[in-house]
Amino acid sequence: MMYQFQCDYNEGAHPRILERLVETNFEQTVGYGEDHYCRKAADLIRTACGNPDADVHFLVGGTQANATVISSVLRPYQGVICARTGHINVHETGAIEHGGHKVLAVGSRDGLLAAESIQEVMDLHFAEDGPEHTVQPGMVYISFSSETGTLYSLSQLEAISAVCRRYSLPLFIDGARMGYGLASEGCDVTLKDIARLADVFYIGGTKQGALFGEAVVIVNEALKKDFRYCIKQNGGMLAKGRLLGIQFITLFEDGLYHELSEHAVRQALRIRDAFESKGFGFLVESPSNQQFPILPDDVADALSSEFMFSVWQKVDDSHTAVRFCTSWATKEGNVDALIANLDNLVQAGGKYEASLGLANTIIGNAALWSML
Protein backbone atom coordinates (compact mmCIF):
# COMPACT_ATOMS: atom_id res chain seq x y z
CA MET A 1 0.00 0.00 0.00
CA MET A 2 1.24 3.47 -0.92
CA TYR A 3 0.31 6.40 1.32
CA GLN A 4 -0.16 9.56 -0.71
CA PHE A 5 1.00 12.94 0.54
CA GLN A 6 2.06 14.51 -2.76
CA CYS A 7 -0.89 16.91 -3.15
CA ASP A 8 -4.21 18.00 -1.64
CA TYR A 9 -6.51 16.89 -4.44
CA ASN A 10 -6.01 13.10 -4.46
CA GLU A 11 -9.50 12.41 -3.16
CA GLY A 12 -12.83 13.13 -4.82
CA ALA A 13 -15.18 15.20 -2.68
CA HIS A 14 -16.62 15.32 0.80
CA PRO A 15 -19.53 12.85 1.16
CA ARG A 16 -21.99 15.62 1.99
CA ILE A 17 -21.24 17.26 -1.34
CA LEU A 18 -21.73 14.01 -3.21
CA GLU A 19 -25.02 13.45 -1.38
CA ARG A 20 -26.29 16.90 -2.38
CA LEU A 21 -25.27 16.34 -5.98
CA VAL A 22 -27.12 13.02 -6.07
CA GLU A 23 -30.19 14.48 -4.37
CA THR A 24 -30.47 17.21 -7.00
CA ASN A 25 -29.32 15.14 -9.95
CA PHE A 26 -32.64 15.09 -11.83
CA GLU A 27 -33.67 18.61 -10.92
CA GLN A 28 -33.94 20.91 -13.91
CA THR A 29 -32.37 24.34 -13.59
CA VAL A 30 -31.20 27.08 -15.92
CA GLY A 31 -27.55 26.86 -16.93
CA TYR A 32 -24.32 28.84 -16.86
CA GLY A 33 -24.40 29.79 -13.19
CA GLU A 34 -27.71 31.63 -13.29
CA ASP A 35 -29.58 29.04 -11.21
CA HIS A 36 -30.89 29.50 -7.67
CA TYR A 37 -28.14 27.30 -6.20
CA CYS A 38 -25.39 29.57 -7.51
CA ARG A 39 -27.30 32.60 -6.26
CA LYS A 40 -27.59 31.09 -2.78
CA ALA A 41 -23.92 30.08 -2.75
CA ALA A 42 -22.93 33.60 -3.80
CA ASP A 43 -25.02 35.07 -0.97
CA LEU A 44 -23.35 32.75 1.57
CA ILE A 45 -19.92 33.80 0.35
CA ARG A 46 -20.83 37.50 0.44
CA THR A 47 -21.92 37.06 4.04
CA ALA A 48 -18.72 35.20 4.95
CA CYS A 49 -16.69 38.00 3.33
CA GLY A 50 -18.69 40.74 5.02
CA ASN A 51 -19.31 42.40 1.66
CA PRO A 52 -22.92 42.35 0.40
CA ASP A 53 -21.95 44.15 -2.80
CA ALA A 54 -19.24 41.75 -4.01
CA ASP A 55 -19.73 39.93 -7.28
CA VAL A 56 -19.25 36.15 -7.01
CA HIS A 57 -18.60 33.90 -10.00
CA PHE A 58 -17.93 30.17 -10.05
CA LEU A 59 -15.22 28.67 -12.27
CA VAL A 60 -13.94 25.13 -12.51
CA GLY A 61 -10.22 25.28 -11.70
CA GLY A 62 -7.40 27.40 -10.36
CA THR A 63 -5.38 27.98 -13.54
CA GLN A 64 -8.58 28.86 -15.35
CA ALA A 65 -9.52 31.32 -12.60
CA ASN A 66 -6.06 32.92 -12.61
CA ALA A 67 -5.95 33.29 -16.40
CA THR A 68 -9.50 34.64 -16.57
CA VAL A 69 -9.08 37.21 -13.80
CA ILE A 70 -5.69 38.43 -14.97
CA SER A 71 -6.70 38.74 -18.62
CA SER A 72 -9.85 40.63 -17.60
CA VAL A 73 -7.88 43.21 -15.59
CA LEU A 74 -4.80 43.95 -17.71
CA ARG A 75 -4.49 46.15 -20.76
CA PRO A 76 -2.59 44.58 -23.70
CA TYR A 77 0.71 46.28 -22.76
CA GLN A 78 0.58 45.40 -19.06
CA GLY A 79 2.00 42.59 -16.93
CA VAL A 80 1.35 41.15 -13.49
CA ILE A 81 3.79 41.41 -10.57
CA CYS A 82 4.25 38.24 -8.54
CA ALA A 83 6.81 36.40 -6.44
CA ARG A 84 9.25 34.29 -8.42
CA THR A 85 7.78 31.24 -6.71
CA GLY A 86 4.21 32.32 -7.53
CA HIS A 87 1.96 29.67 -9.01
CA ILE A 88 1.33 31.65 -12.19
CA ASN A 89 5.09 31.83 -12.73
CA VAL A 90 6.13 28.27 -12.02
CA HIS A 91 3.21 25.82 -12.23
CA GLU A 92 0.81 26.97 -14.93
CA THR A 93 2.70 26.20 -18.14
CA GLY A 94 2.92 29.85 -19.11
CA ALA A 95 -0.86 30.26 -19.12
CA ILE A 96 -0.62 33.99 -18.41
CA GLU A 97 1.98 34.57 -21.12
CA HIS A 98 -0.10 32.47 -23.49
CA GLY A 99 -2.85 35.03 -22.96
CA GLY A 100 -0.51 37.82 -24.01
CA HIS A 101 0.64 39.19 -20.65
CA LYS A 102 4.08 39.03 -19.08
CA VAL A 103 4.55 37.75 -15.54
CA LEU A 104 6.84 40.26 -13.80
CA ALA A 105 8.45 37.88 -11.31
CA VAL A 106 10.54 39.26 -8.44
CA GLY A 107 12.51 37.70 -5.63
CA SER A 108 10.82 36.92 -2.35
CA ARG A 109 11.58 35.47 1.04
CA ASP A 110 9.72 32.31 2.05
CA GLY A 111 7.58 32.71 -1.08
CA LEU A 112 6.03 35.94 0.20
CA LEU A 113 6.02 39.06 -1.95
CA ALA A 114 7.00 42.18 -0.01
CA ALA A 115 5.37 45.58 -0.37
CA GLU A 116 8.86 47.02 -0.80
CA SER A 117 9.43 44.77 -3.84
CA ILE A 118 6.28 46.10 -5.48
CA GLN A 119 7.43 49.63 -4.79
CA GLU A 120 10.83 48.84 -6.31
CA VAL A 121 9.23 47.46 -9.48
CA MET A 122 7.21 50.65 -9.86
CA ASP A 123 10.22 52.88 -9.16
CA LEU A 124 12.33 51.06 -11.74
CA HIS A 125 9.60 51.17 -14.37
CA PHE A 126 8.97 54.90 -14.13
CA ALA A 127 12.70 55.65 -13.87
CA GLU A 128 13.08 54.27 -17.40
CA ASP A 129 14.01 56.70 -20.15
CA GLY A 130 10.76 56.09 -21.96
CA PRO A 131 8.85 53.59 -19.78
CA GLU A 132 6.50 52.84 -22.68
CA HIS A 133 9.28 50.67 -24.14
CA THR A 134 8.87 48.18 -21.30
CA VAL A 135 5.93 46.17 -19.98
CA GLN A 136 3.89 48.31 -17.62
CA PRO A 137 3.08 46.75 -14.23
CA GLY A 138 -0.71 46.52 -14.22
CA MET A 139 -1.68 44.42 -11.21
CA VAL A 140 -0.26 42.37 -8.33
CA TYR A 141 -0.76 38.64 -7.73
CA ILE A 142 -0.15 36.86 -4.43
CA SER A 143 -1.31 33.54 -2.96
CA PHE A 144 -2.79 32.85 0.46
CA SER A 145 -1.36 30.49 1.52
CA SER A 146 1.76 30.77 -0.64
CA GLU A 147 3.30 28.16 -2.92
CA THR A 148 5.61 27.22 -0.05
CA GLY A 149 2.87 27.01 2.56
CA THR A 150 3.74 30.30 4.22
CA LEU A 151 1.27 33.01 5.21
CA TYR A 152 1.07 36.75 4.96
CA SER A 153 0.40 38.50 8.26
CA LEU A 154 -2.32 41.11 8.42
CA SER A 155 0.28 43.88 8.56
CA GLN A 156 2.03 42.50 5.46
CA LEU A 157 -1.26 42.36 3.54
CA GLU A 158 -2.13 45.88 4.61
CA ALA A 159 1.25 47.12 3.41
CA ILE A 160 0.84 45.36 0.05
CA SER A 161 -2.68 46.72 -0.35
CA ALA A 162 -1.49 50.24 0.47
CA VAL A 163 1.24 50.28 -2.19
CA CYS A 164 -1.18 48.75 -4.71
CA ARG A 165 -3.71 51.51 -4.08
CA ARG A 166 -1.01 54.15 -4.26
CA TYR A 167 -0.39 53.13 -7.87
CA SER A 168 -3.94 51.97 -8.73
CA LEU A 169 -2.67 48.40 -9.10
CA PRO A 170 -5.49 45.90 -8.55
CA LEU A 171 -4.49 43.30 -5.93
CA PHE A 172 -5.46 39.73 -6.85
CA ILE A 173 -5.21 36.98 -4.24
CA ASP A 174 -5.07 33.36 -5.38
CA GLY A 175 -7.02 31.42 -2.77
CA ALA A 176 -6.66 27.86 -4.01
CA ARG A 177 -5.57 26.97 -0.45
CA MET A 178 -7.15 29.94 1.29
CA GLY A 179 -9.06 27.82 3.80
CA TYR A 180 -5.90 26.05 4.88
CA GLY A 181 -4.17 29.38 5.31
CA LEU A 182 -6.99 30.89 7.37
CA ALA A 183 -7.10 27.79 9.61
CA SER A 184 -3.33 27.79 10.24
CA GLU A 185 -1.77 28.40 13.62
CA GLY A 186 -0.82 31.99 14.21
CA CYS A 187 -2.88 33.34 11.30
CA ASP A 188 -4.17 36.81 12.16
CA VAL A 189 -5.97 37.29 8.83
CA THR A 190 -9.68 36.67 8.29
CA LEU A 191 -11.73 36.26 5.14
CA LYS A 192 -13.23 39.67 5.82
CA ASP A 193 -9.72 41.15 5.92
CA ILE A 194 -8.98 39.64 2.52
CA ALA A 195 -12.22 41.05 1.11
CA ARG A 196 -11.30 44.46 2.52
CA LEU A 197 -7.72 44.55 1.23
CA ALA A 198 -7.95 42.78 -2.16
CA ASP A 199 -9.64 43.98 -5.32
CA VAL A 200 -10.38 40.45 -6.48
CA PHE A 201 -9.65 37.03 -5.03
CA TYR A 202 -10.91 33.50 -5.22
CA ILE A 203 -11.87 30.91 -2.65
CA GLY A 204 -10.59 27.48 -3.57
CA GLY A 205 -12.86 24.46 -3.63
CA THR A 206 -10.92 21.90 -5.70
CA LYS A 207 -8.24 21.43 -3.02
CA GLN A 208 -10.61 21.92 -0.11
CA GLY A 209 -13.34 19.31 -0.26
CA ALA A 210 -15.16 20.07 -3.51
CA LEU A 211 -15.18 17.82 -6.53
CA PHE A 212 -14.02 20.87 -8.46
CA GLY A 213 -14.60 24.60 -8.42
CA GLU A 214 -13.28 28.02 -7.39
CA ALA A 215 -15.36 31.02 -6.31
CA VAL A 216 -14.05 34.29 -7.76
CA VAL A 217 -15.00 37.28 -5.62
CA ILE A 218 -14.74 40.74 -7.20
CA VAL A 219 -14.74 43.63 -4.74
CA ASN A 220 -13.48 46.50 -6.88
CA GLU A 221 -16.43 48.00 -8.73
CA ALA A 222 -14.28 48.86 -11.76
CA LEU A 223 -13.41 45.19 -12.33
CA LYS A 224 -16.96 43.82 -12.28
CA LYS A 225 -18.21 44.95 -15.68
CA ASP A 226 -18.42 42.23 -18.34
CA PHE A 227 -16.59 39.61 -16.27
CA ARG A 228 -19.01 36.94 -17.48
CA TYR A 229 -17.86 37.67 -21.03
CA CYS A 230 -14.30 36.96 -19.87
CA ILE A 231 -15.38 33.71 -18.21
CA LYS A 232 -17.02 32.53 -21.42
CA GLN A 233 -14.10 33.56 -23.61
CA ASN A 234 -11.70 31.63 -21.39
CA GLY A 235 -13.80 28.47 -21.48
CA GLY A 236 -14.77 28.79 -17.83
CA MET A 237 -18.55 29.06 -18.08
CA LEU A 238 -19.81 25.64 -17.00
CA ALA A 239 -23.12 24.81 -18.68
CA LYS A 240 -24.24 22.79 -15.66
CA GLY A 241 -23.35 25.67 -13.40
CA ARG A 242 -25.52 24.45 -10.54
CA LEU A 243 -22.92 21.73 -9.87
CA LEU A 244 -20.62 24.50 -8.63
CA GLY A 245 -23.29 26.32 -6.66
CA ILE A 246 -24.40 23.18 -4.82
CA GLN A 247 -20.85 22.41 -3.77
CA PHE A 248 -20.17 25.87 -2.36
CA ILE A 249 -23.51 25.92 -0.55
CA THR A 250 -22.50 22.70 1.17
CA LEU A 251 -19.08 24.05 2.08
CA PHE A 252 -20.31 27.40 3.43
CA GLU A 253 -23.76 26.94 4.90
CA ASP A 254 -22.68 25.37 8.20
CA GLY A 255 -18.94 25.84 8.56
CA LEU A 256 -17.82 22.71 6.72
CA TYR A 257 -15.16 24.64 4.79
CA HIS A 258 -13.40 25.74 7.96
CA GLU A 259 -13.84 22.35 9.61
CA LEU A 260 -12.16 20.55 6.71
CA SER A 261 -9.37 23.12 6.61
CA GLU A 262 -8.63 22.68 10.30
CA HIS A 263 -8.40 18.91 9.85
CA ALA A 264 -5.80 19.21 7.08
CA VAL A 265 -3.67 21.66 9.05
CA ARG A 266 -3.85 19.51 12.18
CA GLN A 267 -2.51 16.49 10.29
CA ALA A 268 0.21 18.58 8.62
CA LEU A 269 1.44 19.84 11.97
CA ARG A 270 1.66 16.28 13.24
CA ILE A 271 3.97 15.57 10.30
CA ARG A 272 5.97 18.72 11.00
CA ASP A 273 6.36 17.81 14.67
CA ALA A 274 7.47 14.27 13.81
CA PHE A 275 10.29 15.42 11.53
CA GLU A 276 11.25 18.23 13.89
CA SER A 277 11.44 15.88 16.88
CA LYS A 278 13.97 13.77 14.96
CA GLY A 279 16.13 16.81 14.31
CA PHE A 280 15.33 17.35 10.64
CA GLY A 281 15.24 20.94 9.43
CA PHE A 282 12.82 22.58 7.03
CA LEU A 283 13.18 24.66 3.89
CA VAL A 284 10.58 27.11 5.24
CA GLU A 285 8.59 27.38 8.43
CA SER A 286 5.12 26.58 7.17
CA PRO A 287 2.11 26.64 9.51
CA SER A 288 -0.28 25.33 6.85
CA ASN A 289 -1.04 22.03 5.13
CA GLN A 290 2.27 21.91 3.22
CA GLN A 291 5.46 20.87 5.03
CA PHE A 292 8.96 20.95 3.51
CA PRO A 293 11.45 18.86 5.52
CA ILE A 294 15.05 18.66 4.32
CA LEU A 295 16.07 15.02 4.15
CA PRO A 296 19.26 13.12 3.43
CA ASP A 297 18.71 11.52 0.05
CA ASP A 298 18.86 8.00 1.49
CA VAL A 299 16.11 8.85 3.98
CA ALA A 300 13.97 10.28 1.19
CA ASP A 301 14.58 7.15 -0.89
CA ALA A 302 13.64 4.89 2.01
CA LEU A 303 10.42 6.78 2.71
CA SER A 304 9.45 6.79 -0.96
CA SER A 305 9.02 3.01 -0.93
CA GLU A 306 5.77 3.44 1.01
CA PHE A 307 4.91 7.14 0.85
CA MET A 308 4.31 9.43 -2.10
CA PHE A 309 5.51 13.01 -1.66
CA SER A 310 6.87 15.75 -3.90
CA VAL A 311 10.56 16.35 -4.50
CA TRP A 312 10.80 20.12 -4.14
CA GLN A 313 14.44 21.13 -4.64
CA LYS A 314 17.99 19.94 -4.07
CA VAL A 315 19.75 21.84 -1.32
CA ASP A 316 23.18 20.22 -1.63
CA ASP A 317 24.79 17.09 -3.07
CA SER A 318 23.21 14.75 -0.53
CA HIS A 319 20.09 16.52 0.79
CA THR A 320 16.74 17.33 -0.77
CA ALA A 321 13.79 19.43 0.37
CA VAL A 322 10.59 17.46 -0.13
CA ARG A 323 6.95 18.38 0.34
CA PHE A 324 4.39 16.47 2.37
CA CYS A 325 0.91 17.81 1.68
CA THR A 326 -2.22 16.99 3.66
CA SER A 327 -5.82 17.56 2.65
CA TRP A 328 -9.34 17.76 3.99
CA ALA A 329 -9.50 13.96 3.65
CA THR A 330 -6.09 12.90 5.02
CA LYS A 331 -6.61 9.98 7.39
CA GLU A 332 -5.05 10.11 10.82
CA GLY A 333 -3.98 6.49 10.30
CA ASN A 334 -1.95 7.46 7.24
CA VAL A 335 -0.10 10.09 9.26
CA ASP A 336 0.39 7.52 12.04
CA ALA A 337 1.99 5.18 9.49
CA LEU A 338 4.36 7.91 8.28
CA ILE A 339 5.41 8.80 11.82
CA ALA A 340 6.01 5.14 12.71
CA ASN A 341 8.04 4.58 9.56
CA LEU A 342 10.15 7.65 10.29
CA ASP A 343 10.73 6.45 13.85
CA ASN A 344 11.94 3.09 12.56
CA LEU A 345 14.26 4.69 10.00
CA VAL A 346 15.92 6.95 12.54
CA GLN A 347 16.29 4.17 15.10
CA ALA A 348 17.86 1.89 12.51
CA GLY A 349 20.37 4.40 11.17
CA GLY A 350 22.43 6.68 13.35
CA LYS A 351 24.00 7.98 10.15
CA TYR A 352 20.94 10.19 9.66
CA GLU A 353 22.01 12.31 12.59
CA ALA A 354 24.41 14.08 10.23
CA SER A 355 21.47 16.05 8.90
CA LEU A 356 20.71 17.68 12.25
CA GLY A 357 20.94 21.44 12.11
CA LEU A 358 21.45 21.43 8.35
CA ALA A 359 18.38 23.56 7.69
CA ASN A 360 19.70 26.44 9.74
CA THR A 361 22.78 26.57 7.54
CA ILE A 362 20.71 26.44 4.38
CA ILE A 363 18.09 28.93 5.49
CA GLY A 364 20.85 31.37 6.31
CA ASN A 365 22.21 31.07 2.80
CA ALA A 366 21.16 34.24 0.97
CA ALA A 367 21.84 32.64 -2.40
CA LEU A 368 19.12 30.08 -1.79
CA TRP A 369 16.58 32.71 -0.89
CA SER A 370 17.46 34.76 -3.96
CA MET A 371 16.27 31.78 -6.00
CA LEU A 372 12.99 31.84 -4.14
Side-chain angles (χ1 to χ4, degrees):
M1 175 180 177
M2 289 292 290
Y3 298 95
Q4 299 194 29
F5 292 97
Q6 78 272 34
C7 66
D8 40 19
Y9 41 89
N10 288 125
E11 299 85 3
H14 191 274
R16 277 157 59 183
I17 286 177
L18 296 177
E19 289 168 7
R20 294 287 288 274
L21 291 173
V22 171
E23 289 169 4
T24 59
N25 189 48
F26 288 103
E27 183 177 337
Q28 293 182 323
T29 61
V30 297
Y32 303 108
E34 296 186 316
D35 59 277
H36 66 282
Y37 290 112
C38 286
R39 289 197 298 273
K40 180 178 179 180
D43 284 341
L44 287 169
I45 289 172
R46 289 187 191 99
T47 299
C49 294
N51 190 323
D53 298 320
D55 278 5
V56 181
H57 303 272
F58 300 101
L59 284 80
V60 175
T63 299
Q64 182 187 78
N66 287 333
T68 302
V69 169
I70 290 171
S71 66
S72 75
V73 171
L74 294 180
R75 299 292 301 274
Y77 49 84
Q78 292 180 323
V80 53
I81 301 170
C82 83
R84 195 165 292 138
T85 54
H87 201 270
I88 59 172
N89 190 49
V90 298
H91 282 147
E92 292 189 347
T93 324
I96 305 307
E97 286 88 350
H98 181 68
H101 298 286
K102 186 175 179 61
V103 175
L104 302 170
V106 299
S108 63
R109 185 176 178 84
D110 298 358
L112 301 177
L113 183 65
E116 293 79 8
S117 297
I118 300 169
Q119 180 68 58
E120 184 178 354
V121 170
M122 301 307 293
D123 289 344
L124 288 172
H125 177 74
F126 290 110
E128 287 276 348
D129 183 13
E132 66 274 9
H133 297 289
T134 62
V135 174
Q136 183 187 90
M139 67 186 298
V140 172
Y141 164 99
I142 63 174
S143 298
F144 192 94
S145 53
S146 78
E147 196 74 359
T148 53
T150 51
L151 302 179
Y152 291 91
S153 67
L154 181 57
S155 62
Q156 287 173 319
L157 282 183
E158 288 176 335
I160 289 171
S161 180
V163 72
C164 285
R165 290 176 181 177
R166 186 180 310 142
Y167 290 98
S168 298
L169 294 170
L171 173 60
F172 172 37
I173 300 181
D174 178 331
R177 296 187 173 97
M178 185 172 289
Y180 298 141
L182 294 174
S184 296
E185 62 177 12
C187 178
D188 64 348
V189 176
T190 67
L191 186 56
K192 290 180 180 179
D193 289 324
I194 287 172
R196 173 174 60 89
L197 297 170
D199 294 278
V200 54
F201 61 95
Y202 74 87
I203 299 169
T206 302
K207 297 176 179 178
Q208 299 220 207
L211 199 60
F212 52 84
E214 324 297 320
V216 173
V217 182
I218 305 177
V219 179
N220 186 331
E221 201 67 33
L223 306 182
K224 294 178 180 180
K225 187 176 184 295
D226 294 338
F227 189 71
R228 279 178 60 83
Y229 286 84
C230 298
I231 297 173
K232 183 66 176 181
Q233 189 176 66
N234 282 273
M237 191 168 285
L238 185 66
K240 299 179 182 180
R242 73 143 185 263
L243 301 181
L244 292 163
I246 289 167
Q247 293 184 81
F248 277 93
I249 288 173
T250 308
L251 289 171
F252 274 85
E253 66 184 351
D254 61 2
L256 180 62
Y257 193 72
H258 189 68
E259 177 187 324
L260 297 180
S261 299
E262 285 185 326
H263 169 81
V265 172
R266 189 162 54 248
Q267 299 310 313
L269 297 190
R270 291 182 63 208
I271 293 173
R272 180 198 67 184
D273 293 346
F275 280 102
E276 191 171 61
S277 70
K278 299 298 183 294
F280 293 102
F282 293 80
L283 184 66
V284 294
E285 293 184 12
S286 167
S288 69
N289 73 311
Q290 301 179 83
Q291 297 297 320
F292 299 84
I294 296 171
L295 305 180
D297 291 341
D298 49 359
V299 173
D301 289 343
L303 286 174
S304 68
S305 64
E306 290 187 52
F307 302 92
M308 295 184 68
F309 49 86
S310 301
V311 174
W312 203 253
Q313 71 178 65
K314 290 290 293 180
V315 295
D316 65 19
D317 290 341
S318 59
H319 293 81
T320 301
V322 302
R323 182 185 75 167
F324 284 85
C325 192
T326 59
S327 80
W328 60 274
T330 297
K331 296 178 181 177
E332 288 192 13
N334 291 4
V335 177
D336 291 340
L338 173 62
I339 293 172
N341 192 292
L342 182 62
D343 286 342
N344 292 336
L345 274 176
V346 172
Q347 289 172 10
K351 59 184 178 180
Y352 302 140
E353 294 178 3
S355 70
L356 305 188
L358 174 71
N360 291 330
T361 301
I362 293 169
I363 289 173
N365 185 335
L368 175 64
W369 290 118
S370 70
M371 292 190 297
L372 298 178

